[in-house]
Amino acid sequence: MSGTLYLCPTPIGNLEDITFRVISTLKSVDLIAAEDTRHTIKLLNHFEINTPLTSYYEHNKRHKGTLLLDRLLRGENIAIVSDAGTPGISDPGEDMVRLCVENEIEVIALPGATAVTVALTASGLPTGRFAFEGFLTTNKKNRRAHLEGVKDDTRTLIFYEAPHKLKSTLADMLEAFGDRDIVIARELTKKFEEVNRTTITAAIEKYEEVTPKGEFVLVIEGFVGDGVLDVPIDQSRIESELKRLIEQGLSGNEAAKVIAKEYSLPKREVYAIYLEISKD
């Protein structure tokens, strides 16, 4: 008789957010497969859990997944954990679950912490219908295509983002979505937790002055319509005006705001022109 794979959520910051059931399961299984054993061992030591530990992460998931499957088929019970949150969401746990399903091995998912719902429920944006989009790719072309593909989605959109990519992601979001309401949740449940309810433009301006730090969840309002009539744009004239204002010391966002107001144009379109000329 085969064993069972348990998906065990771990705290996204505050250790008190782990459940009694997760602790009990981690103590009772034969093996714990962790995304980063160095990180997980600290959690296990804190709760006096002595279960054997092995690694299972993106770059060894094929080889290690086969080994874990073999142990499950021999009747062992295995728990899988990510660095933080619920395994299977934006991590290789998804592949292990699929492997178990294909081999008719029981999978039991335990409830627990995940940054998606923490950020969404604290955002103040509509929660009835939402779409979790995960991490955007580092490939600029594919990232922009992803954003273009969801720009007309009326559901609240949720993304994960790393600090070193935040500024470029916000710029791409402004170009694709226009200036929407956004909630930027940082370091959730940790000492320096921050939930910033703002707009995409204001967020860009903030992070031109402040270096992004920590892990981010971006919650963005869904499409509600532009509220701006389509107006033909004299691109060469706009480019000239942008360059003039930037030479006077204005930032790209500030210059775009001035021109959009002066010519009654959608600011996102003016800012898109700024992004193009800034590449030159």
Side-chain angles (χ1 to χ4, degrees), residues 20 27 32 56 65 73 78 85 91 101 201 212 219 236 254 257:
F20 291 122
K27 287 182 176 181
I32 298 171
Y56 176 75
L73 289 170
I78 296 176
D91 77 15
V101 171
T201 297
V219 187
S236 61
E254 292 168 339
K257 187 184 297 184

Side-chain angles (χ1 to χ4, degrees), residues 245-255 258:
L245 291 173
I246 291 168
E247 286 174 357
Q248 292 177 1
L250 273 66
S251 68
N253 280 300
E254 292 168 339
V258 170

Side-chain angles (χ1 to χ4, degrees), residues 12-275:
I12 60 176
N14 192 320
L15 291 179
E16 294 182 3
D17 291 334
I18 199 167
T19 69
F20 291 122
R21 186 181 174 197
V22 167
I23 293 175
S24 175
T25 300
L26 293 177
K27 287 182 176 181
S28 66
V29 295
D30 299 293
L31 180 70
I32 298 171
E35 189 173 9
D36 186 335
T37 56
R38 297 165 300 179
H39 180 87
T40 301
I41 193 65
K42 298 175 184 177
L43 178 74
L44 300 185
N45 288 340
H46 181 84
F47 290 105
E48 299 181 347
I49 299 170
N50 300 312
T51 305
L53 185 65
T54 190
S55 65
Y56 176 75
Y57 55 94
E58 184 63 31
H59 299 296
N60 79 347
K61 65 182 181 183
R62 290 191 178 182
H63 170 68
K64 187 56 72 71
T66 301
L67 297 178
L68 295 178
L69 177 63
D70 184 60
R71 296 184 68 159
L72 287 162
L73 289 170
R74 295 204 309 262
E76 295 186 35
N77 295 321
I78 296 176
I80 188 167
V81 300
S82 63
D83 285 351
T86 300
I89 298 179
S90 292
D91 77 15
E94 175 185 0
D95 297 85
M96 194 66 223
V97 171
R98 186 182 301 109
L99 196 58
C100 287
V101 171
E102 290 171 352
N103 288 272
E104 299 183 347
I105 293 171
E106 184 177 18
V107 176
I108 296 179
L110 279 60
T114 177
V116 177
T117 53
V118 174
L120 175 64
T121 53
S123 70
L125 293 173
T127 61
R129 298 179 69 237
F130 64 92
F132 174 60
E133 297 294 325
F135 285 100
L136 290 164
T137 178
T138 55
N139 180 282
K140 181 177 291 188
K141 181 180 178 180
N142 292 341
R143 183 171 69 241
R144 290 182 173 179
H146 185 158
L147 295 173
E148 284 292 326
V150 298
K151 70 177 183 180
D152 295 326
D153 196 326
T154 58
R155 296 172 295 179
T156 300
L157 302 174
I158 306 172
F159 297 85
Y160 284 164
E161 195 50 276
H164 67 280
K165 290 169 50 190
L166 181 65
K167 293 171 68 174
S168 59
T169 291
L170 289 171
D172 286 343
M173 286 178 169
L174 181 63
E175 184 174 355
F177 299 153
D179 194 19
R180 298 187 190 179
D181 287 338
I182 183 172
V183 176
I184 301 181
R186 184 180 73 88
E187 295 293 89
L188 289 172
T189 79
K190 300 176 185 177
K191 181 178 180 180
F192 298 105
E193 174 181 305
E194 179 181 68
V195 178
N196 183 19
R197 301 172 182 87
T198 183
T199 63
I200 297 177
T201 297
I204 289 172
E205 293 173 348
K206 173 181 177 178
Y207 289 108
E208 284 183 348
E209 305 294 333
V210 178
T211 301
K213 294 181 180 179
E215 298 301 318
F216 292 85
V217 183
L218 311 179
V219 187
I220 305 169
E221 72 170 326
F223 177 72
V224 293
D226 285 338
V228 179
L229 296 175
D230 288 334
V231 178
I233 294 180
D234 182 343
Q235 182 155 332
S236 61
R237 186 173 183 179
I238 297 303
E239 289 178 359
S240 177
E241 287 292 295
L242 281 168
K243 291 175 181 176
R244 180 180 62 82
L245 291 173
I246 291 168
E247 286 174 357
Q248 292 177 1
L250 273 66
S251 68
N253 280 300
E254 292 168 339
K257 187 184 297 184
V258 170
I259 293 172
K261 183 176 181 180
E262 181 177 350
Y263 292 96
S264 299
L265 295 171
K267 182 180 178 242
R268 72 177 189 282
E269 295 186 18
V270 179
Y271 190 78
I273 294 173
Y274 159 73
L275 291 176

